[in-house]
Amino acid sequence: MCGIFGIITNQGNISLGKVVLEGIKRLEYRGYDSCGIVSLSNSKLYIKKDSGKIEEIQKKINLADIPNDSKLALAHTRWATHGRPTRINSHPHLDCSNKIAVVHNGIIENFLELRKNLSQKGHLFKSETDTEVIPHLIEDKMEEGFNFKDSVVEALKSCSGAYGLAVCHVDYPESIIVVRKESPLVIGIEEGKTTYLASDIPAFLPLTRKCYIMEDDELAVLKAGEVDFYDLNNNKKIEKEIQVIKWNIDAAEKGGYEHFMLKEIYEQPTAIKNTMKISKDLLKSFANTLWSAENIYITAAGTSYYASLAGKFIISKFLGKYISPIECSEFQTQLSNSLKSDSVIIAVSQSGETIDTVEAIRWAKTKKNVKVLTITNVVGSTLTRYSDKVIVTQAGPEIGVAATKTYSTQVLTLALIALEIAKLRKVESESEIEKYEIALRATPQIIENFLKNNVDLIKDIVETLEQSAQFFFLARGISIATAKEGGLKLKEVACRFIEGYSAAHAKHGPISLVREGFPIIFIAPPDETYQRLIGNIMEFKARGGKIISLIVENDKTVLELSDITIKIPQPGDKYHNIFSPITFTPALQLLAYYTSLHHGLDPDKPLNLSKTVTVH
Ligand code: F6R
């Protein structure tokens, strides 16, 4: 969702406009539809803003053109919630006196009521946004006699909702006030010289590795090269430790690939190998908690939810207990009267910031004895704070909006937990478990070989499907998760309405769409559902469907039934069907990627999407 980048410096040799523009550009991946920059010089605010992508806006107005003597600037990319993406609705938003500028991520839920009260007091509003109430509230508090910082504290007392925000004031040119409540904000620092703020670390990583991670209900006063932190609830000063970011900016740059999405698809073998190094003790403690649990749920959103569907299938196989999957946004509604106090909940989230997942878990934790086991890719993310145990997948930063490498590392992590459960329960012999472990260790090699040898085939399939704006991915058993994830990727980056569905269930309705040449992609690992899947393939073939199948290398049966096959390497006893969500999904990611390019789209910037969804 929206992105914030800001800087305050005492250095004369910094080209502020360039730094700010580059900083906010590094947050483009979060998804946005407008951009704005405010700077301050000579007791005046200078605003540049418009709707559209940064590149388009640059052609009309130079966002980086800010006064030479300016030492402070805030930039914002907006993902429209309240009000259409227009210039007026773009951030920053100002008060009546044009002295206070605010950029804001999140939503002020009671803005209508606040706006009504402020209007009655004579405040004039220009936009349709919820954000605009904030500068007016601060203005009001300043008129009551509070200083800049305390006005922000007082103003926010009347706001409900989630926010990460930054405020500047022409009469306080030496400071920026920043507040975090449920919307991530990080502060970067070059001590004594320059301070940065951003909604995500990659925005300032080329400039400094030293940072402070803000927690909920914290306020920071940023000065050039120094920061003071306060607890928003009592306005008392707090101490925070500087963290040094260890990962390299290369990890957040394209490294020669045309897009982040492609780079991240190709990073999967490494991401998986790194994630395999997760501490055995931690995996065991997850396994123990699940083994002793009566009721187990798994919750997540989007791709993380599909990873959960695949993972819960693998865990249940060894655990011998059903794990109920529930989309995070439905969690509280569906379990309001039935969540037992001794339940264990597995929460899966790449960002650890998805508001619906965080809220589901926060609610669940109000029940005594509920335990939360979290799998995330981001250390210290909000979700981790409400969790009893946390595994951090080692996918590295994922910048592409469409999740790829985090999906495979999430499934892998759940599979690793499953194998620890198998060892604990001794449901399989040691030699059987070893076979699973060998197969899991072979997944990076299988993916690497596939990606090396199949790009031309995938591009040919993209051309074959050129005219097909709708088709199905069909599967049975564990592969339904793969089919759903494949469908989601095509919807996201290629704007095609492709549905991932149960092959058996497709007879109960969707099959009526099938005409001569209608493409159906079957996910067909030779697992326990294979024979029945062949029956489903026949049904669709009989109706003229064009059969494209994802099979393992030596599958002659489905090969003969198919018009086109995509073959997943099957290195002898090193392949296992139960891990097919890991080895088969990259083919569908690649299909989505090249379909996106074929239709002239930018796979890194899907329309209307955001990397981190921080609104309900
Ligand atoms: C799809 C995608 C989204 C996310 C979803 C959850 O490619 O990226 O569907 O999976 O928004 O996000 P996290 O995993 O951060 O909770």
Side-chain angles (χ1 to χ4, degrees):
M1 312 244 105
C2 312
I4 292 179
F5 180 82
I7 178 171
I8 181 159
T9 186
N10 54 23
Q11 302 293 291
N13 56 352
I14 292 183
S15 169
L16 212 68
K18 190 164 169 271
V19 173
V20 174
L21 189 62
E22 282 171 2
I24 197 68
K25 271 181 157 178
R26 281 189 286 270
L27 293 175
E28 278 191 289
Y29 72 90
R30 293 172 68 90
Y32 71 103
D33 39 51
S34 331
C35 181
I37 293 181
V38 56
S39 57
L40 199 160
S41 160
N42 258 332
S43 299
K44 260 184 79 179
L45 294 174
Y46 289 80
I47 313 265
K48 296 263 180 152
K49 63 178 190 177
D50 211 339
S51 59
K53 295 290 176 203
I54 295 177
E55 243 172 62
E56 296 158 15
I57 301 174
Q58 275 302 93
K59 286 182 194 149
K60 293 191 263 171
I61 48 168
N62 182 3
L63 285 162
D65 178 22
I66 62 181
N68 283 338
D69 61 343
S70 185
K71 293 277 182 281
L72 166 170
L74 295 172
H76 187 263
T77 44
R78 172 175 187 252
W79 188 86
T81 57
H82 295 58
R84 293 174 66 81
T86 58
R87 196 194 100 78
I88 296 291
N89 288 334
S90 312
H91 298 209
H93 291 285
L94 309 184
D95 67 326
C96 295
S97 66
N98 289 340
K99 284 185 159 194
I100 303 165
V102 172
V103 293
H104 162 228
N105 291 355
I107 289 179
I108 304 298
E109 284 166 358
N110 57 339
F111 86 102
L112 280 175
E113 179 196 327
L114 293 171
R115 193 174 163 123
K116 198 168 140 211
N117 293 344
L118 286 160
S119 298
Q120 278 164 0
K121 285 184 174 177
H123 289 267
L124 294 175
F125 287 85
K126 299 190 181 87
S127 77
E128 303 159 271
T129 64
D130 53 332
T131 303
E132 203 182 350
V133 296
I134 306 169
H136 291 282
L137 282 171
I138 298 172
E139 180 183 30
D140 235 27
K141 293 296 167 190
M142 294 199 80
E143 276 167 14
E144 283 176 32
F146 290 99
N147 67 24
F148 182 27
K149 172 176 77 66
D150 292 347
S151 299
V152 176
V153 174
E154 290 301 313
L156 292 176
K157 282 184 182 162
S158 51
C159 297
S160 60
Y163 40 82
L165 57 89
V167 196
C168 64
H169 191 303
V170 290
D171 297 339
Y172 297 80
E174 74 296 343
S175 58
I176 296 173
I177 309 263
V178 176
V179 182
R180 174 193 161 133
K181 189 177 178 208
E182 292 172 33
S183 184
L185 274 178
V186 276
I187 311 291
I189 187 146
E190 286 179 82
E191 282 138 318
K193 296 179 181 169
T194 307
T195 309
Y196 307 93
L197 71 131
S199 28
D200 211 349
I201 291 167
F204 57 65
L205 200 55
L207 304 159
T208 181
R209 284 174 172 277
K210 290 184 175 175
C211 73
Y212 296 96
I213 316 261
M214 286 188 74
E215 307 277 335
D216 281 344
D217 294 319
E218 283 181 1
L219 176 147
V221 180
L222 274 50
K223 301 214 158 113
E226 57 176 278
V227 195
D228 287 325
F229 291 96
Y230 296 83
D231 180 335
L232 195 61
N233 297 315
N234 56 21
N235 205 1
K236 291 221 169 90
K237 218 166 169 177
I238 48 174
E239 294 301 319
K240 285 181 77 73
E241 267 184 38
I242 287 196
Q243 319 244 343
V244 180
I245 302 302
K246 300 222 173 58
W247 45 274
N248 210 302
I249 187 65
D250 295 354
E253 285 180 343
K254 286 186 206 152
Y257 286 89
E258 205 181 331
H259 294 98
F260 283 114
M261 182 179 178
L262 189 64
K263 176 183 175 238
E264 288 159 4
I265 290 172
Y266 276 82
E267 278 174 349
Q268 287 179 108
T270 310
I272 291 173
K273 281 184 213 161
N274 290 340
T275 302
M276 280 188 184
K277 294 177 196 154
I278 293 170
S279 129
K280 277 261 180 286
D281 286 346
L282 191 55
L283 291 170
K284 272 187 201 147
S285 80
F286 268 57
N288 270 315
T289 307
L290 291 170
W291 190 20
S292 52
E294 282 302 315
N295 302 290
I296 309 174
Y297 299 92
I298 190 162
T299 193
T303 289
S304 297
Y305 184 68
Y306 297 142
S308 304
L309 292 185
K312 69 115 192 161
F313 200 101
I314 307 173
I315 294 184
S316 291
K317 175 180 163 72
F318 297 107
L319 186 62
K321 289 179 199 169
Y322 184 71
I323 298 179
S324 313
I326 300 194
E327 286 168 23
C328 53
S329 48
E330 288 297 312
F331 196 86
Q332 187 172 347
T333 318
Q334 293 200 20
L335 295 175
S336 60
N337 294 324
S338 56
L339 182 68
K340 303 242 166 58
S341 64
D342 57 355
S343 301
V344 171
I345 302 157
I346 309 172
V348 183
S349 170
Q350 174 277 126
S351 61
E353 300 291 347
T354 298
I355 193 124
D356 285 333
T357 313
V358 172
E359 204 167 274
I361 292 313
R362 215 191 281 139
W363 170 73
K365 285 300 281 179
T366 60
K367 308 264 166 199
K368 219 169 66 191
N369 294 334
V370 162
K371 289 205 174 64
V372 174
L373 308 179
T374 283
I375 297 171
T376 181
N377 196 42
V378 181
V379 184
S381 50
T382 307
L383 195 53
T384 62
R385 279 185 233 131
Y386 302 102
S387 307
D388 296 276
K389 291 174 187 167
V390 177
I391 290 180
V392 180
T393 50
Q394 299 299 311
E398 187 176 69
I399 307 294
V401 169
T404 52
K405 60 178 179 171
T406 53
Y407 174 83
S408 36
T409 53
Q410 286 167 347
V411 181
L412 171 82
T413 305
L414 291 161
L416 288 168
I417 296 166
L419 292 188
E420 288 308 316
I421 292 169
K423 288 179 206 164
L424 265 178
R425 289 190 65 216
K426 300 191 179 26
V427 278
E428 303 271 356
S429 67
E430 276 179 25
S431 63
E432 273 305 303
I433 293 175
E434 206 184 323
K435 278 189 200 156
Y436 286 113
E437 287 182 326
I438 291 171
L440 207 48
R441 279 202 296 273
T443 54
Q445 193 61 51
I446 294 174
I447 296 173
E448 202 169 305
N449 289 348
F450 176 82
L451 294 174
K452 203 185 285 169
N453 300 316
N454 287 280
V455 170
D456 288 342
L457 170 68
I458 297 288
K459 285 182 179 169
D460 287 348
I461 297 176
V462 168
E463 285 196 14
T464 307
L465 297 174
E466 189 177 40
Q467 302 302 329
S468 312
Q470 50 178 18
F471 55 86
F472 296 130
F473 286 118
L474 297 185
R476 298 183 76 114
I478 194 169
S479 298
I480 294 174
T482 310
K484 288 191 177 294
E485 175 56 10
L488 179 65
K489 286 287 96 81
L490 268 136
K491 285 189 194 86
E492 279 181 289
V493 301
C495 280
R496 315 252 100 190
F497 190 83
I498 312 304
E499 196 68 327
Y501 216 81
S502 145
H505 215 181
K507 276 201 296 289
H508 300 274
I511 199 167
S512 76
L513 290 169
V514 177
R515 303 284 183 280
E516 194 62 36
F518 185 97
I520 306 112
I521 301 188
F522 283 92
I523 321 295
D527 59 17
E528 69 276 17
T529 67
Y530 182 70
Q531 287 309 330
R532 290 206 163 160
L533 187 79
I534 288 176
N536 299 136
I537 295 177
M538 300 300 288
E539 289 155 11
F540 281 82
K541 202 173 164 62
R543 284 160 181 82
K546 187 183 197 71
I547 309 296
I548 302 173
S549 305
L550 220 69
I551 58 174
V552 290
E553 239 160 20
N554 65 4
D555 179 347
K556 301 276 182 303
T557 314
V558 177
L559 177 90
E560 277 174 19
L561 295 176
S562 307
D563 297 291
I564 304 172
T565 52
I566 305 170
K567 294 181 190 152
I568 305 301
Q570 186 189 17
D573 56 2
K574 289 194 183 145
Y575 166 85
H576 201 291
N577 287 319
I578 193 126
F579 305 130
S580 65
I582 303 175
T583 49
F584 278 47
T585 306
L588 306 184
Q589 297 166 344
L590 218 51
L591 184 70
Y593 174 78
Y594 284 111
T595 309
S596 173
L597 293 196
H598 193 75
H599 292 281
L601 300 166
D602 181 343
D604 281 345
K605 293 178 198 151
L607 199 66
N608 300 332
L609 286 186
S610 161
K611 184 73 184 158
T612 311
V613 180
T614 48
V615 292
H616 295 286

